[in-house]
Amino acid sequence: MRAFNWVVAGAVAVALAGCGADEISSAGSAGNVTITNPPATNPTPAPDPDPQGVEPANGCPTIADPAGLRDDGTITGPTGTYRVCALPNRLNVSVTLNRVPGLLYALDGRVDVGVDRGAAPTADAPVVLTIQPGVVVFAKTGVSWLAVNRGNRIQAAGTATQPIVFTSRDNVLGLTNDDAQGQWGGVVLLGRAPITDCTVAPAATPGTVNCERQTEGSVDPAYYGGATPNDNSGTIRYVQIRYSGYVLSGNSELQSLTLGGAGSGTTIEYFQSHNSSDDGFENFGGTAPMRRVVVTGADDDGLDLDVGYKGTIQYVIAVQKTSGAADSMIELDSANALEDQTPRTHLKLANFTVVHRNPASGNNAAMLFRGKADATLVNGVVTSPMACLRLNGSNILTADAATEKAGPPLFQSVVMQCAAAPFVGSGGVTAQQVADTFSAGTSVSAAFTATLTNTFVNGASEAAAVAADPKLVDAAFDTTNYVGAVKDANDTWYAGWTCNSVIANFGSTSTACTSLPSLAQ
C-alpha cells in the first residue's frame, strides 16, 4: 500500500492527512476551464464509420448544466477521428452523457460532480452524472480525474455488450501498449459511510458523523466519511478504467477507482481496472459491496482496503504483471497508532482467483494482512511465485470484542500454489504462526497444484476442491459450490465488457485494451 495525496487546482499539492493509515491520492486539477466555444445545439451525429475509420460528430450535444460542454475540436487515432466534448470543471446540476457516434467526452483537469454536501444526509437532491452505455470518457491531461462529492452520485451503467470506458488521451491516440500506466488520475467516489482515522477533527469519535477525512490545504477540498452505512454514491456497472494512477511524487498517486466512505447503497459490479500505476482499487472505509471485479496489471496491489472498510466482495479475477513494482494481490489495512479504532476493517472476500506473478514483490507475499484488521476468505484460488500469505503484527492474531476484533484471519476452502515457503511472518508473528492460522481453516491447502486454464478459469484440480457456502459467512454473499472466481469454461461472466491484453485474455468478444472499443466508432 502506498501513501496517497491529492493535488487540486493545478499548483496546489495537498495531502489527505492520516494518522498512519495510507491515504487517498488524486491527480488534481489543471486549473479553471475557459469555455471558448458555445456548445452546438442538437448536433447531427456522424454517419456510420467508413472503412477508413470513424468520422467525427458535427458538434457537442447540449447538457443541462449551464456551463455546457466545450467543443475542443477533434482528435485522431488509429480507429478514426472523433469530436471532443470537454466537461466543465464542476457539474452543478444533473446531466446525462449520451453515446453519439464519433464523439468522445473529455476530462480537462479535475471534474467535480456537485459540491460536498456534508457528512450528514440532507434533503437536497443530489447532482447525478449519468453516463449511457457505450460512452468513452478520456482524460485530456495526465492530471485529470473525476470526483463524485458526498451527497452526489454517478450512474455509469453500461451493458455486457456496451461497456463504459474511462481512459487516457494516449489510448485514444493509439500510443498505449501493454506496459502503459499512470496516464491520468482516475475515478473517486466520496461518501458518508463510517470511517476511522479522522483528520478534519482528530478528536472526533471514529465512525460518527464528526469523523471525516479531508484534503488539507486545497482551495477545493474533497471530504469523505460520516455515519450513514447505507449511503449511496451511485452505480459503476460494466465499466472499464484504463491506464490510470497519475504519479504525484515518490509514493503518491491515485488508483483507478477510489472509494472513500462509500456506503452499501453504492453499486459496484462488472468493473475492470486495467494497468493502474497504483492499486486496482482501494476502499478507504465505508461499506460498499463489490461484485464481478476484474483487476489486470495493477502496479501496486490488486485490492487494497483500510480505514475501517466493512464490506463484502465476491467474484474477483486479479492477474498481476510479471515485472515492475507490482506488489501484493491483496493488501489489508495499515499499521498505525490508531489500530484500536472502530469500525474495524473486516474484509469478507468470496470466490476469488488471484494470480500473483512478480517474484520481486516488495511485500514478499501474494497477500499481506496487517494493522489488526480482520479477514474472512472463502472459496479462493491463489497462485504465486513467492509466499502466498504474510501476516504482520501480533495483534492481528488477537480477539477483542470491545474493539470488534474477531480474531485471526479465517480461511475456508482456500487453495494455494506457492513457493517452497508459503508463509511469512513479521512484526512479532512467526512463519509457523501464519501457517497455523491458515491451517486452522476448513478445506484449505497451501500445497495445491493449480490447473487453471486461460490464466483464471477453473480446471480439474479446482473443480475437485471442496467449496464452502459463502452465505453462511455473510447473508449478502451468493451461495456457490466451487472455489475461485470462474467455475468452468461455461462460466463467462467476464466476457465482452472487459478488454484484452498480454496480462489476461477474456475471449473474442472482448476487445483490445490498447484500442477504443468498436462502440466508440
Side-chain angles (χ1 to χ4, degrees):
M1 187 181 302
R2 299 174 180 171
F4 298 104
N5 300 301
W6 301 65
V7 166
V8 194
V12 182
V14 291
L16 192 70
C19 298
D22 286 3
E23 313 298 344
I24 291 183
S25 303
S26 83
S29 167
N32 295 327
V33 168
T34 301
I35 298 179
T36 56
N37 297 303
T41 303
N42 301 321
T44 303
D48 290 336
D50 61 28
Q52 302 304 312
V54 178
E55 295 183 4
N58 290 336
C60 295
T62 299
I63 60 173
D65 194 282
L69 296 168
R70 188 182 72 223
D71 189 335
D72 276 0
T74 61
I75 187 170
T76 300
T79 56
T81 301
Y82 301 85
R83 177 70 52 191
V84 177
C85 300
L87 277 68
N89 275 123
R90 186 182 302 278
L91 298 172
N92 292 300
V93 299
S94 295
V95 303
T96 297
L97 304 183
N98 293 307
R99 189 181 81 84
V100 178
L103 185 150
L104 304 177
Y105 296 95
L107 307 175
D108 191 3
R110 172 176 172 169
V111 173
D112 283 276
V113 178
V115 298
D116 177 52
R117 296 173 183 268
T122 66
D124 298 336
V127 173
V128 181
L129 171 60
T130 299
I131 305 177
Q132 295 292 338
V135 164
V136 174
V137 181
F138 80 96
K140 288 195 67 178
T141 69
V143 294
S144 299
W145 58 288
L146 179 68
V148 181
N149 289 296
R150 282 188 304 189
N152 304 289
R153 297 175 187 169
I154 186 173
Q155 293 295 335
T159 68
T161 57
Q162 299 184 75
I164 293 165
V165 177
F166 291 90
T167 192
S168 67
R169 179 175 178 270
D170 278 6
N171 197 194
V172 177
L173 294 172
L175 301 177
T176 54
N177 56 34
D178 286 310
D179 293 321
Q181 62 181 38
Q183 297 179 342
W184 65 292
V187 177
V188 180
L189 306 188
L190 302 166
R192 293 164 164 160
I195 62 170
T196 61
D197 295 42
C198 324
T199 59
V200 176
T205 302
T208 69
V209 73
N210 295 318
C211 183
E212 305 170 85
R213 293 170 68 84
Q214 71 167 344
T215 303
E216 292 183 346
S218 169
V219 297
D220 191 10
Y223 298 88
Y224 67 99
T228 308
N230 63 346
D231 191 49
N232 182 358
S233 293
T235 296
I236 299 285
R237 178 186 293 124
Y238 292 112
V239 169
Q240 301 172 22
I241 302 180
R242 306 177 179 178
Y243 308 113
S244 62
Y246 170 72
V247 178
L248 299 173
S249 62
N251 289 327
S252 177
E253 52 192 53
L254 178 69
Q255 48 278 321
S256 65
L257 179 64
T258 298
L259 302 181
S264 61
T266 307
T267 299
I268 310 289
E269 59 185 10
Y270 299 96
F271 159 66
Q272 180 183 13
S273 166
H274 177 66
N275 277 27
S276 168
S277 65
D278 199 65
D279 304 318
F281 65 86
E282 184 158 7
N283 294 1
F284 291 87
T287 56
M290 304 178 75
R291 299 289 184 273
R292 313 284 184 184
V293 175
V294 173
V295 177
T296 48
D299 204 46
D300 190 18
D301 306 309
L303 293 65
D304 203 338
L305 310 114
D306 52 26
V307 192
Y309 174 71
K310 299 177 80 71
T312 57
I313 303 176
Q314 189 170 20
Y315 311 111
V316 175
I317 300 169
V319 185
Q320 192 186 49
K321 298 176 182 178
T322 58
S323 61
D327 215 334
S328 295
M329 301 309 298
I330 303 173
E331 184 171 286
L332 183 59
D333 213 15
S334 299
N336 63 52
L338 305 177
E339 291 176 352
D340 284 329
Q341 290 191 356
T342 59
R344 174 151 323 283
T345 298
H346 189 166
L347 168 64
K348 296 180 180 180
L349 176 64
N351 292 99
F352 58 98
T353 299
V354 296
V355 180
H356 184 244
R357 288 174 163 171
N358 185 6
S361 167
N363 281 341
N364 300 318
M367 300 182 290
L368 169 61
F369 300 165
R370 61 184 180 183
K372 210 173 180 180
D374 280 324
T376 304
L377 278 66
V378 185
N379 291 349
V381 178
V382 180
T383 67
S384 174
M386 57 169 54
C388 283
L389 178 63
R390 174 184 166 196
L391 300 182
N392 180 66
S394 58
N395 54 7
I396 201 169
L397 302 176
T398 61
D400 180 11
T403 59
E404 301 179 2
K405 184 70 177 74
L410 176 63
F411 301 87
Q412 297 183 36
S413 299
V414 175
V415 294
M416 307 192 302
Q417 178 176 305
C418 320
F423 304 109
V424 176
S426 57
V429 180
T430 67
Q432 186 60 52
Q433 286 177 303
V434 180
D436 292 344
T437 298
F438 180 77
S439 299
T442 56
S443 302
V444 296
S445 173
F448 185 72
T449 300
T451 56
L452 296 169
T453 63
N454 194 36
T455 306
F456 52 82
V457 178
N458 282 358
S461 295
E462 291 77 23
V466 177
D469 183 357
K471 193 172 284 292
L472 298 179
V473 171
D474 194 297
F477 281 132
D478 296 336
T479 291
T480 56
N481 61 1
Y482 58 92
V483 301
V486 180
K487 182 176 182 178
D488 53 34
N490 297 315
D491 183 6
T492 58
W493 61 263
Y494 52 83
W497 59 273
T498 48
C499 67
N500 294 327
S501 67
V502 296
I503 299 164
N505 188 299
F506 299 99
S508 60
T509 57
S510 294
T511 56
C513 298
T514 52
S515 177
L516 296 188
S518 59
L519 282 168
Q521 307 167 29

